Amino acid sequence: VTKTKVAVIYIEGIANEEILQDLMQRLDLIDIDGVIEASYVEELILDEPSSMFPTMHKTERPDRVAANLLEGRIAILVDGTPTALMLPAIFYQFFHSVEDYYLRPLFATFIRFVRFSAFFVSLLLPAVYISLTTFHQEMIPTILLINIAAQREVVPLPALVEALLMEFTFETLREAGLRMPKAIGNAISIVGALVIGEAAVNAGLVSNIMVIVVAFTAITTLIFPEHSIANPIRLLRFAFIILAGMFGLYGVVSGLFILSLHLCGLRSFGIPYMYPIAPLNVKALRDVIFRFPFAKMDERPPLISGQDHVRQSEGQGGIADVVKKSG
């Protein structure tokens, strides 16, 4: 009914023809009365729409789209939508920022380490705290354990209920801040968090250290360049908190094992979601956690690109030696 125009963009010879044909078949099968936003198309062509993890990229930046096209990916533009869809997507790309390639490799690698560390902190910090304080007190240093016990002495709630209450409160404040007018949304969120947190501590409902844990966890959720990867983390955090409250660290480890199996089983247009770690491709690891210099990244990802895997001509890595000799 809406007659929405959809454009498929790729570079011939660099894009994978099998992925392109698969995409065109999926687009042809769409039979819906209207496409209002690119998310309509995204959900209708996903490999596994029931998974909470995103298997397609969304971006509003033209430079990111161009960079992905040069790697062999395919972009989808929907008329009237400011975002572009890019496929196939792998898990590690959601932790990469286009600015990583504008910075020196060493600093870009450091920033990526911070992002990946923030992923585990955001996902597991409240669960680990509950596990240690509830089941594994012997793993906490004595002085710290005494301080935690002194703070929790006046708290009537168990650590599990305390964490769930604080997480729900922060999620409510976050959502309220998004729905309010921008002029007052941020102010209301900050003031509300400070007032409610302070009042809850003074009332003896929660401990100071729980406020710190939940607040730091909320901050680490905001560090990811791709906001779509933060949503499943926010939801899974509640699952890990419940597992930690019921089974301690055994529940946390079991949850990580199940999560790893789920991620390894995902596909994005036939490409393994955890590539290049599962399946392992050592050469492709140069642009996953580390950001190698451009001279070392001379090939495109083989599973994603088409027949043209060569990114740059041979001998580019010797430019530095030439500069040294001429200097």
Side-chain angles (χ1 to χ4, degrees), residues 15 158 178 289:
L178 292 175
I289 299 178

Side-chain angles (χ1 to χ4, degrees), residues 192-213:
L194 291 174
V195 172
I196 293 177
E198 184 68 21
V201 172
N202 292 334
L205 294 177
V206 295
S207 60
N208 286 317
I209 191 168
M210 179 59 76
V211 175
I212 295 174
V213 168

Side-chain angles (χ1 to χ4, degrees), residues 22 31 71 92 98 102 154 169 180 219 233 235 247 268 274 281 320:
D22 185 16
D31 187 10
E71 282 196 342
Y92 308 101
V98 69
Y102 304 156
V154 296
T169 303
M180 289 182 182
I219 292 173
I233 295 174
L235 186 59
F247 307 107
S268 177
M274 295 301 290
N281 186 316

Side-chain angles (χ1 to χ4, degrees), residues 61-306:
R61 300 192 55 162
D63 54 349
R64 186 169 189 127
V65 176
N68 279 271
L69 291 176
L70 288 171
E71 282 196 342
R73 290 182 173 84
I74 304 169
I76 300 176
L77 299 181
V78 178
D79 189 24
T81 302
T83 57
L85 302 175
M86 294 178 296
L87 59 102
I90 56 177
F91 177 73
Y92 308 101
Q93 281 185 287
F94 294 95
F95 298 88
H96 294 177
S97 172
V98 69
E99 286 83 6
D100 294 348
Y101 303 96
Y102 304 156
L103 302 172
R104 297 291 183 181
L106 185 60
F107 186 73
T109 300
F110 169 73
I111 295 299
R112 287 185 180 180
F113 269 108
V114 173
R115 294 188 193 124
F116 280 101
S117 301
F119 168 76
F120 289 102
V121 171
S122 176
L123 184 65
L124 300 176
L125 181 59
V128 171
Y129 170 76
I130 294 171
S131 300
L132 296 180
T133 55
T134 306
F135 296 99
H136 313 285
Q137 295 90 346
E138 67 280 359
M139 299 180 65
I140 306 176
T142 304
I143 297 178
L144 179 60
L145 181 60
I146 293 174
N147 291 334
I148 294 175
Q151 294 180 22
R152 290 194 47 79
E153 186 177 5
V154 296
V155 178
L157 303 174
L160 173 61
V161 178
E162 185 183 3
L164 291 175
L165 176 63
M166 288 301 300
E167 285 289 347
F168 180 78
T169 303
F170 268 87
E171 291 296 332
T172 304
L173 289 172
R174 188 204 304 265
E175 192 66 19
L178 292 175
R179 304 305 170 199
M180 289 182 182
K182 290 185 178 180
I184 63 173
N186 294 332
I188 292 296
S189 298
I190 296 173
V191 174
L194 291 174
V195 172
I196 293 177
E198 184 68 21
V201 172
N202 292 334
L205 294 177
V206 295
S207 60
N208 286 317
I209 191 168
M210 179 59 76
V211 175
I212 295 174
V213 168
V214 174
F216 185 68
T217 302
I219 292 173
T220 55
T221 310
L222 305 175
I223 198 175
F224 307 118
E226 294 281 346
H227 181 69
S228 55
I229 197 64
N231 293 329
I233 295 174
R234 291 163 56 187
L235 186 59
L236 285 171
R237 190 187 304 142
F238 285 93
F240 276 97
I241 288 175
I242 295 174
L243 287 174
M246 296 176 62
F247 307 107
L249 289 179
Y250 300 103
V252 175
V253 174
S254 299
L256 284 175
F257 181 72
I258 296 173
L259 177 61
S260 300
L261 290 178
H262 174 69
L263 291 175
C264 291
L266 288 179
R267 295 288 187 275
S268 177
F269 286 83
I271 304 300
Y273 196 51
M274 295 301 290
Y275 174 82
I277 289 184
L280 181 63
N281 186 316
V282 178
K283 198 167 187 178
L285 291 175
R286 296 178 179 181
D287 193 25
V288 175
I289 299 178
F290 301 95
R291 207 285 266 177
F292 275 52
F294 288 121
K296 301 295 184 181
M297 297 188 295
D298 54 351
E299 292 186 3
R300 300 183 179 89
L303 283 183
I304 297 174
S305 59

